[in-house]
């Protein structure tokens, strides 16, 4: 049986919020089967609870944020991506600020935290959201699509017309029947441009951004002295974001995702398009090994390695 997962123990981290620039304390706690991923603003009295939910997404300008009763938790996508990549279904996320810490701008530190706490299988079958027929969402020349697939595959292409990005691969396909989230995706960092910094900061964004938590470029080149972690790190980060954004549906997907010039807003829109058509999806479990697609077994076995 493909089982649900949580953590074996509590784990803590401290960092800075990418957009607010504030110190953030983060605590990840085990949760019971069928709890899902639940965020808690513990700096409030009483604390506010925000379950992962695509209909709670409120701000997709430079991140995915959740909102309830006027209270927000921003930049959830990198943590959500790590949780999806490691197959963690149930978790309490305590945070004492309006956003999750950015750490190094990738999901790598979250993977390290989760693996340090230990991953525990639970006595309940993992519930997958299987796409039964294709759905698509478009905005001008940007588009995103979900199609039926016995596994989880993501294809992404970007177009930035920037020499530093154009010198790298601008299209990638990651199929978790073959690829490892930890080694092939998790270390890809967010990126931005020096010429946009003044505008973003005037609008209350990227106040905590630095060369320590993002790939930063001027008009011609990458400014980080260590260079890139992957030859296709820019488009890989878009895949990392998409994995986290899609996991806000509350279940791992069985689907092929593809996008061109997509981002947080389109990822949220395609989830809404999918969920609002009850004929396009179903919830499934795999309680017998013979029923489990090989790609699914490989993906979740590899996540424990």
């Amino acid at each position: 049986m493909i089982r649900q997962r949580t953590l074996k123990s509590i784990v803590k981290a401290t960092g800075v919020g990418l957009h607010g620039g504030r110190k953030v304390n983060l605590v990840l706690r085990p949760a019971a089967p069928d709890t899902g991923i639940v965020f808690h603003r513990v700096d409030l009295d009483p604390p506010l609870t925000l379950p992962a939910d695509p209909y709670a997404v409120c701000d997709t300008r430079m991140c995915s944020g959740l909102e309830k009763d006027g209270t927000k938790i921003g930049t959830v996508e990198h943590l959500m991506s790590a949780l999806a990549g490691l197959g963690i279904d149930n978790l309490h996320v305590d945070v004492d600020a309006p956003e999750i810490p950015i750490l190094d701008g990738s999901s790598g530190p979250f993977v390290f935290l989760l693996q340090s706490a230990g991953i525990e299988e639970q006595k309940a079958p993992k519930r997958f959201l299987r796409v039964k027929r294709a759905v698509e969402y478009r905005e001008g020349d940007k588009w995103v699509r979900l199609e039926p697939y016995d596994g989880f595959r993501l294809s992404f292409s970007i177009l930035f017309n920037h020499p530093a990005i154009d010198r790298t691969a601008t299209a990638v396909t990651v199929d978790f029947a073959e690829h490892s989230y930890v080694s092939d995706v998790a270390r890809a960092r967010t990126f931005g441009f020096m010429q946009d910094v003044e505008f973003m900061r005037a609008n209350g964004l990227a106040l905590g951004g630095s060369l320590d938590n993002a790939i930063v470029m001027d008009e011609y080149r990458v400014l980080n002295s260590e260079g890139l972690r992957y030859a296709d790190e820019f488009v890989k980060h878009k895949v990392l974001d998409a994995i986290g954004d899609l996991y806000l549906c509350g279940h791992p997907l069985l689907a092929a995702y593809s996008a061109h010039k997509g981002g947080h807003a389109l990822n949220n829109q395609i989830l809404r398009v999918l969920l609002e058509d009850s004929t396009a999806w179903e919830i499934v479990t795999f309680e017998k090994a013979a029923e489990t697609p090989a790609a699914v077994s490989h993906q979740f076995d590899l996540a424990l390695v």
Side-chain angles (χ1 to χ4, degrees):
M1 180 169 70
I2 304 292
R3 299 177 184 272
Q4 294 181 30
R5 294 175 180 173
T6 190
L7 297 185
K8 290 181 179 178
S9 61
I10 293 172
V11 66
K12 302 178 182 181
T14 300
V16 66
L18 174 62
H19 295 301
R22 289 175 48 182
K23 178 182 176 182
V24 184
N25 294 301
L26 177 73
V27 179
L28 307 179
R29 298 184 285 118
D34 297 318
T35 298
I37 310 302
V38 183
F39 294 84
H40 305 276
R41 278 285 302 275
V42 298
D43 56 319
L44 305 178
D45 187 15
L48 187 74
T49 295
L50 295 89
D53 179 352
Y55 290 96
V57 171
C58 64
D59 189 351
T60 54
R61 285 181 299 167
M62 298 293 289
C63 69
S64 286
L66 303 174
E67 182 175 11
K68 179 180 177 182
D69 300 333
T71 299
K72 298 179 181 180
I73 297 180
T75 323
V76 302
E77 65 274 9
H78 298 170
L79 174 57
M80 289 298 297
S81 186
L83 296 173
L86 296 181
I88 295 173
D89 305 90
N90 305 302
L91 192 70
H92 292 292
V93 180
D94 297 341
V95 64
D96 67 352
E99 61 183 321
I100 301 298
I102 190 63
L103 302 180
D104 78 344
S106 77
S107 290
F110 293 115
V111 168
F112 175 79
L113 283 171
L114 297 166
Q115 291 178 329
S116 298
I119 298 171
E120 180 173 272
E121 292 198 335
Q122 299 175 289
K123 294 181 180 179
K126 187 182 290 285
R127 292 158 55 84
F128 295 84
L129 194 157
R130 190 209 310 261
V131 173
K132 295 169 61 178
R133 66 178 187 81
V135 293
E136 184 175 281
Y137 180 82
R138 288 182 175 267
E139 285 185 1
D141 63 342
K142 303 176 183 180
W143 57 265
V144 59
R145 182 182 301 124
L146 287 169
E147 300 173 271
Y149 187 65
D150 269 344
F152 190 33
R153 184 181 69 207
L154 301 99
S155 299
F156 211 110
S157 59
I158 57 176
L159 182 62
F160 276 92
N161 193 28
H162 186 282
I165 296 177
D166 292 346
R167 282 194 294 266
T168 72
T170 55
V172 70
T173 294
V174 175
D175 189 332
F176 289 109
E178 306 170 13
H179 299 103
S180 160
Y181 177 84
V182 174
S183 61
D184 296 325
V185 176
R187 297 181 65 248
R189 294 161 293 174
T190 193
F191 58 92
F193 306 95
M194 280 297 296
Q195 58 264 38
D196 296 335
V197 168
E198 185 174 336
F199 172 80
M200 288 191 292
R201 292 186 172 172
N203 286 272
L205 297 171
L207 299 179
S210 73
L211 291 168
D212 294 326
N213 54 38
I215 304 169
V216 181
M217 290 164 282
D218 63 14
E219 295 180 359
Y220 307 103
R221 60 194 173 92
V222 170
L223 300 179
N224 306 64
S225 60
E226 73 275 22
L228 299 179
R229 295 175 174 177
Y230 303 106
D232 51 2
E233 188 168 1
F234 299 107
V235 70
K236 278 274 183 73
H237 186 78
K238 289 291 191 176
V239 169
L240 183 156
D241 277 346
I243 293 168
D245 290 341
L246 295 174
Y247 201 40
L248 287 168
C249 75
H251 303 284
L253 286 176
L254 296 178
Y257 161 98
S258 51
H260 176 62
K261 298 175 67 175
H264 302 299
L266 265 66
N267 292 336
N268 184 248
Q269 288 295 337
I270 195 63
L271 279 184
R272 295 184 184 213
V273 170
L274 174 69
L275 295 174
E276 288 163 13
D277 182 353
S278 60
T279 68
W281 60 275
E282 62 182 347
I283 300 295
V284 298
T285 61
F286 300 107
E287 301 193 32
K288 297 180 180 178
E291 300 171 348
T292 308
V296 173
S297 297
H298 178 81
Q299 176 182 349
F300 291 99
D301 287 347
L302 199 61
L304 288 176
V305 175

